[in-house]
Amino acid sequence: QQQVKQSPQSLIVQKGGISIINCAYENTAFDYFPWYQQFPGKGPALLIAIRPDVSEKKEGRFTISFNKSAKQFSLHIMDSQPGDSATYFCAASTGAAGNKLTFGGGTRVLVKP
Amino acid sequence: GAGVSQTPSNKVTEKGKYVELRCDPISGHTALYWYRQSLGQGPEFLIYFQGTGAADDSGLPNDRFFAVRPEGSVSTLKIQRTERGDSAVYLCASSRSGGELFFGEGSRLTVL
């Protein structure tokens, strides 16, 4: 059972453009929603995370939007740069940030110069 | 070291063989996690240690998979009678209790 569904599987964006990745979850007990960035041959690295008591969180060029009623959350990458080319995973967990994560299937982002 | 260290980085084995994968977490991190990442997919949870004990092993796919963390630091993931379907990248992560997970670069296992 895939508890976190992520789309699209891949996307191509021009330098300076906006990348948008969407995730939907089923388990209403989830209360921690991080996004991870993974480069080839490396492990995932935490990018930004949100809890359901806020609808939006922004850190630099990265913004998470959260819709609790729809059980959806999204990552927006503003002013996309070639260095942002990577695979992005949404995830969810219950309780503390360190609890086991359920990951989405990933989105491969390519930023063209 | 500064980060989570995993060895070997690559392991090629034959079907039916036994494999051990090692994880050395960040110093002071009490929680340790193993995930498995198949090609083109997100990581899947295998097992979580808090200290020396396995707090949650619900993700282990079957009894061929076993993990230990005898002294609350280094952990070993053990796979018996490997099958071709076990081929994946095995990721280890560590954290302070309740804190952010830091992942290693993974051990790529190929079962021929």
Side-chain angles (χ1 to χ4, degrees):
Chain A
Q1 180 185 3
Q2 186 181 3
Q3 294 194 55
V4 180
K5 295 183 179 179
Q6 184 171 347
S7 63
Q9 288 186 313
S10 64
L11 69 92
I12 300 173
V13 62
Q14 293 293 325
K15 179 182 174 183
I18 302 173
S19 303
I20 301 174
I21 307 170
N22 300 298
C23 282
Y25 63 96
E26 300 169 5
N27 186 350
T28 55
F30 287 148
D31 60 0
Y32 175 69
F33 303 90
W35 285 88
Y36 282 81
Q37 180 188 57
Q38 186 176 31
F39 293 104
K42 303 294 185 182
L46 180 66
L47 195 61
I48 186 173
I50 198 169
R51 291 201 179 272
D53 53 344
V54 296
S55 60
E56 186 174 283
K57 183 175 181 180
K58 183 177 181 180
E59 290 185 0
R61 296 184 294 109
F62 301 92
T63 300
I64 299 179
S65 296
F66 184 82
N67 186 330
K68 186 174 181 178
S69 61
K71 294 188 288 185
Q72 295 176 347
F73 57 111
S74 62
L75 176 69
H76 294 225
I77 306 174
M78 313 299 285
D79 187 25
S80 296
Q81 299 296 312
D84 297 333
S85 297
T87 300
Y88 293 81
F89 294 96
C90 61
S93 71
T94 59
N99 281 2
K100 69 180 186 182
L101 295 166
T102 299
F103 283 85
T107 298
R108 181 174 291 186
V109 174
L110 175 62
V111 182
K112 289 195 168 181
Chain B
V4 176
S5 177
Q6 292 189 245
T7 55
S9 56
N10 280 285
K11 175 72 176 177
V12 180
T13 191
E14 294 180 342
K15 180 175 178 294
K17 298 291 188 182
Y18 169 80
V19 167
E20 287 190 355
L21 306 175
R22 175 189 167 107
C23 173
D24 201 339
I26 294 172
S27 178
H29 282 191
T30 57
L32 185 146
Y33 303 77
W34 285 99
Y35 284 79
R36 178 169 70 175
Q37 186 173 25
S38 299
L39 190 63
Q41 297 184 22
E44 293 179 294
F45 170 80
L46 294 177
I47 186 170
Y48 154 53
F49 288 90
Q50 184 62 252
T52 60
D56 186 339
D57 65 357
S58 61
L60 294 178
N62 51 60
D63 61 6
R64 296 188 297 105
F65 288 75
F66 189 71
V68 296
R69 194 186 186 199
E71 298 179 356
S73 179
V74 170
S75 175
T76 304
L77 178 66
K78 308 181 180 193
I79 310 174
Q80 299 178 321
R81 304 184 304 279
T82 52
E83 299 177 356
R84 292 192 179 89
D86 299 334
S87 295
V89 175
Y90 290 82
L91 295 165
C92 177
S94 70
S95 74
R96 299 188 184 281
S97 183
E100 173 189 346
L101 267 65
F102 292 85
F103 283 86
E105 294 190 348
S107 292
R108 181 177 297 277
L109 174 66
T110 302
V111 182
L112 301 177

